[in-house]
Amino acid sequence: MLNKITAFVERHHLLSHDAGKYIVALSGGADSVALLLVLKQLGYDVEAAHCNFRLRGEESDRDEQFVRSLCERLQIKLHLIHFDTKTYADVHQVSIEMAARELRYRYFEQLRQDIGAQDVCVAHHQDDAVETLLMNLIRGTGIHGLTGIRPRNGHIVRPLLCVTRAEIVRFLDSLHQPYVTDSTNLVPDVVRNKIRLEVLPLLQQINPAATENIARTARWMAEAEKVYNDAFNISLFTSPSSLFTSHSSFFTSPISTLLTKPSPECFLFELLTPHGFTSSQVEQVFDALKGPSGRVFQSPTHELLIDRDQLIIEERHESFAPMRIPESGLYRLPDGRQFRAETSDEVAVSRDPYCATLDASKVRFPLTLRTVQTGDRFQPYGMKGTRLVSDYLTDRKRTLFEKRRQLVVTDAQGEILWLVGERVAHCYAVTDATRSILRLSFAATAQ
């Protein structure tokens, strides 16, 4: 087993004897105990870290005492921490399993930085990788979810991914090395336990080599993923018909180009899932591509708009709260943007779309800066009669997202005097009779 792990470590460049110390995540179970012993036998400089999540009463304390004794016998430095996992889960509204995971990995990274360790070694093995692949398959996944567990993820490394749980137990038995067993892993009450205790044994009845075959498939999928990612990124960013155009707060993708790809739905999946869209939403978006313009889809973090030949994806934002402007002065918005109102006897008309010059005698404070509302009308400068602001913006080919963000300035009577960044209202415009002006300026980006 040592030879197999050594070859795996070298092939994936996981560890180096010249890199300094490594932290071993030590629970006291067979997997982590084997990892500690293997790395020590292979000559790596290791320290252990144990997390007591206080979830299993006396059993949790038993595990802690076991790892204390083990590290003392092996003369390996041990770092211990206790967590109030249930309180953390309640406060952050996550499951106990997710709370333990977040606490564990946050602590490992902080410890790694504090003691100057190179990486954190965790004891995931081949069976864990197979369980993960099956979990992803059950939940629904793309190609990335079929690669199992990666040997490295940032500063987390997994030297035991090449060996099975059975090999680990045989290794420990050969050394007469005891270990502890987490009783919660023996009950099929969560998905992973059901797969480990019920699904995999059934698959092995069908084919004794099922676990190894699934693991081999995951390894091939990991290699195929590299080719897939390379081809996808070339098409996404660098090909003459690039799918992706990035802007400051959003990105766009031409639908006509997307539909020329060998698998448009696959490309759509890769475009959308990093932004929180589910596989079922990807199917809905794909079905809507040839439908009418204007469909909107939402993920927890982003919104997607089908606008003519464009897919437009941007982060979701909180609604803009109206700002009252009681008098001339400088006003700062919560996002850092600025609005300024000032009067001047020097009559000069601004050509800057974000600076409006109005006849001061026609304007009554307080002003209000707000987003466009349904039914808003104004008379654009130089035009006869009033128009719906929404129709004006449609003529300007503004997207639904841009319309929702469009700001207007109204006077004390609620009349629109400026469509910010676009045009002033005709009845407030500077004329030959104007003797003083009100200059309104808006910084479109945070200062």
Side-chain angles (χ1 to χ4, degrees):
M1 192 174 85
L2 292 179
N3 291 336
K4 182 186 289 189
I5 294 171
T6 298
F8 181 79
V9 166
E10 291 177 353
R11 181 163 65 253
H12 294 281
H13 310 290
L14 298 183
L15 306 169
S16 170
H17 288 95
D18 300 324
K21 73 181 71 172
Y22 292 91
I23 297 170
V24 174
L26 182 63
S27 68
D31 310 333
S32 65
V33 170
L35 176 62
L36 185 69
L37 295 177
V38 164
L39 296 187
K40 182 175 175 60
Q41 287 190 32
L42 293 178
Y44 292 101
D45 182 8
V46 295
E47 296 183 9
H50 177 76
C51 301
N52 187 335
F53 296 103
R54 295 178 172 173
L55 294 173
R56 293 177 287 117
E58 293 182 359
E59 193 173 281
S60 292
D61 295 333
R62 176 210 65 184
D63 294 353
E64 179 179 322
Q65 185 55 49
F66 174 83
V67 299
R68 283 180 182 272
S69 299
L70 177 64
C71 290
E72 183 178 347
R73 178 172 65 82
L74 297 176
Q75 296 184 322
I76 292 174
K77 186 173 182 179
L78 174 65
H79 303 271
L80 283 169
I81 190 168
H82 290 197
F83 291 118
D84 187 348
T85 312
K86 291 182 179 178
T87 298
Y88 180 94
D90 291 340
V91 169
H92 293 85
Q93 296 184 327
V94 296
S95 67
I96 290 292
E97 293 77 13
M98 182 57 68
R101 174 183 171 81
E102 291 179 1
L103 289 168
R104 175 169 63 247
Y105 283 107
R106 187 180 303 165
Y107 167 66
F108 288 158
E109 176 56 22
Q110 187 59 58
L111 177 63
R112 185 191 70 80
Q113 295 180 28
D114 289 345
I115 69 174
Q118 180 67 23
D119 290 311
V120 178
C121 303
V122 296
H124 292 124
H125 49 73
Q126 180 175 286
D127 294 15
D128 293 320
V130 170
E131 292 165 11
T132 299
L133 185 153
L134 292 175
M135 287 175 64
N136 292 341
L137 192 62
I138 291 168
R139 292 168 176 168
T141 184
I143 186 173
H144 307 297
L146 299 178
T147 60
I149 301 176
R150 300 178 187 278
R152 173 182 288 278
N153 182 10
H155 285 288
I156 301 296
V157 295
R158 302 178 173 93
L160 299 188
L161 278 181
C162 59
V163 295
T164 66
R165 165 78 177 190
E167 289 177 291
I168 288 171
V169 171
R170 287 197 297 270
F171 170 74
L172 294 176
D173 288 345
S174 71
L175 299 175
H176 305 289
Q177 172 61 57
Y179 51 88
V180 296
T181 300
D182 183 344
S183 61
T184 62
N185 290 334
L186 304 178
V187 181
D189 56 346
V190 295
V191 174
R192 184 177 288 276
N193 283 3
K194 288 178 183 293
I195 291 174
R196 176 185 302 129
L197 300 173
E198 298 177 352
V199 175
L200 280 176
L202 180 59
L203 292 176
Q204 288 165 340
Q205 288 180 27
I206 298 171
N207 183 350
T211 300
E212 176 58 37
N213 289 341
I214 294 172
R216 183 181 298 109
T217 299
R219 290 193 292 271
W220 278 113
M221 290 300 295
E223 293 303 311
E225 181 190 38
K226 296 176 185 177
V227 179
Y228 173 90
N229 287 341
D230 185 62
F232 180 78
N233 288 329
I234 290 174
S235 183
L236 191 65
F237 298 107
T238 61
S239 67
S241 56
S242 175
L243 265 180
F244 185 96
T245 303
S246 179
H247 302 272
S248 58
S249 61
F250 65 96
F251 73 84
T252 64
S253 177
I255 295 173
S256 56
T257 302
L258 172 67
L259 294 176
T260 65
K261 298 301 177 182
S263 176
E265 192 168 358
C266 176
F267 275 86
L268 194 61
F269 181 90
E270 295 298 339
L271 282 171
L272 300 186
T273 52
H275 301 288
F277 293 92
T278 65
S279 55
S280 61
Q281 284 181 305
V282 172
E283 292 178 7
Q284 294 169 16
V285 173
F286 182 73
D287 291 339
L289 292 182
K290 296 182 180 180
S293 180
R295 289 286 302 276
V296 176
F297 299 85
Q298 293 183 334
S299 78
T301 58
H302 287 74
E303 287 187 294
L304 177 148
L305 168 66
I306 298 177
D307 183 72
R308 304 176 186 88
D309 186 48
Q310 293 291 318
L311 288 179
I312 303 174
I313 303 163
E314 67 175 31
E315 290 186 29
R316 298 178 65 174
H317 301 284
E318 295 183 5
S319 58
F320 183 88
M323 173 176 280
R324 190 169 183 269
I325 312 294
E327 60 186 4
S328 297
L330 176 64
Y331 299 83
R332 187 179 296 276
L333 280 64
D335 61 8
R337 293 181 293 176
Q338 295 180 354
F339 181 88
R340 185 187 296 273
E342 54 188 347
T343 57
S344 174
D345 293 333
E346 182 181 346
V347 179
V349 177
S350 170
R351 303 300 179 188
D352 183 344
Y354 286 96
C355 180
T357 43
L358 310 172
D359 189 322
S361 67
K362 300 176 181 178
V363 180
R364 295 291 178 267
F365 281 89
L367 308 180
T368 301
L369 177 68
R370 62 170 175 81
T371 53
V372 170
Q373 298 174 357
T374 302
D376 275 345
R377 304 184 73 94
F378 85 127
Q379 182 181 3
Y381 177 71
M383 295 185 182
K384 294 181 179 181
T386 64
R387 297 202 65 196
L388 284 170
V389 173
S390 60
D391 289 344
Y392 174 89
L393 294 174
T394 297
D395 290 345
R396 296 281 289 161
K397 299 190 182 305
R398 298 295 185 250
T399 70
L400 176 63
F401 289 164
E402 291 170 325
K403 290 179 181 179
R404 289 191 320 202
R405 288 195 299 267
Q406 179 63 53
L407 297 176
V408 298
V409 179
T410 62
D411 66 4
Q413 285 72 47
E415 296 294 326
I416 294 175
L417 52 88
W418 183 30
L419 195 61
V420 178
E422 290 289 335
R423 195 172 291 197
V424 300
H426 188 84
C427 59
Y428 297 93
V430 173
T431 68
D432 292 341
T434 300
R435 295 296 175 261
S436 64
I437 64 170
L438 174 66
R439 182 181 294 108
L440 304 179
S441 56
F442 183 74
T445 56
Q447 301 294 306

